[in-house]
Amino acid sequence: MNEQIEEIENLANDFDTISPGNCFIKEKITNLYFPNKFKINFQDCHVAISKNGGLIAVCKKKNYYDIQKHSYVNNDVLVMQQNAKQLYTIPICWNPSKRWIVGFDFSENENLYGICNDGTIYKFDLLMKEAREQLTSEKFIQEKIYKVKFIEKGFIALTCYGVFYYVKDFKNVFPKSMFQM
């Protein structure tokens, strides 16, 4: 009887309850293939995870410089499969003292975007391995962006002037003022 109770307890430990009626099982699906030399300080980097679980992207935050030899995150955005077997590096040209990324995530359409403090919006293309600047709003250029939260196909931005703007879609960056602090 004691052996059966232990087996039931071990099985129960594999499940986590999110809310009543919803739970998931902890199960290893794949191995992680990080090379030994490849280390990322995740506290000083933005991390984006695609909604369907396919890709993970990493880029540095403001005032961070990786002192490791052959560092990837200083001048590139890293995009990898979740098991880190395939790694893409996308070079990005910027002056970190004037421009840095404040919002970094995948959109609802699984496109990777980075929004900079000066209003610049980058769309990262994995196939071409390039960061493409998109048209942005004059309001974001003038007011500078302090913080961003991605929502569906667009985002909400807080500017340095304390104004919240809502952009419905990345394809048409037309900010609508929501409220002012």
Side-chain angles (χ1 to χ4, degrees), residues 22 41 54 56-57 85 94 96 99 101 107 120 128 146 157 162 168:
N22 293 327
N41 181 354
I56 298 174
K85 201 167 192 174
W94 57 16
R99 179 186 292 173
I101 289 182
S107 69
T120 306
M128 301 301 289
Y146 178 73
K168 187 175 182 177

Side-chain angles (χ1 to χ4, degrees), residues 71-160:
S71 173
Y72 289 105
V73 296
N74 290 328
N75 298 315
D76 297 328
V77 170
L78 304 177
V79 183
M80 64 190 105
Q81 295 174 349
Q82 285 192 355
N83 62 0
K85 201 167 192 174
Q86 180 67 42
L87 177 70
Y88 306 95
T89 56
I90 302 172
I92 186 164
C93 232
W94 57 16
N95 184 347
S97 63
K98 294 181 181 177
R99 179 186 292 173
W100 58 89
I101 289 182
V102 293
F104 184 69
D105 208 349
F106 287 93
S107 69
E108 186 179 73
N109 300 337
E110 300 288 328
N111 294 319
L112 181 61
Y113 289 96
I115 301 174
C116 297
N117 65 313
D118 65 354
T120 306
I121 299 174
Y122 286 106
K123 181 178 180 182
F124 298 99
D125 187 346
L126 294 179
L127 297 176
M128 301 301 289
K129 293 187 179 180
E130 65 182 10
R132 295 183 185 158
E133 271 190 49
Q134 287 198 314
L135 292 176
T136 188
S137 170
E138 192 65 34
K139 288 182 183 179
F140 291 146
I141 294 170
Q142 291 172 355
E143 295 185 25
K144 309 291 185 215
I145 298 175
Y146 178 73
K147 195 151 178 107
V148 171
K149 177 67 178 166
F150 287 66
I151 296 177
E152 295 175 356
K153 296 180 183 178
F155 61 93
I156 293 177
L158 171 63
T159 64
C160 293

Side-chain angles (χ1 to χ4, degrees), residues 53-65:
L55 299 171
I56 298 174
V58 179
C59 79
K60 70 177 185 173
K61 290 182 181 178
K62 178 184 177 185
N63 296 331
Y64 175 66
Y65 186 79

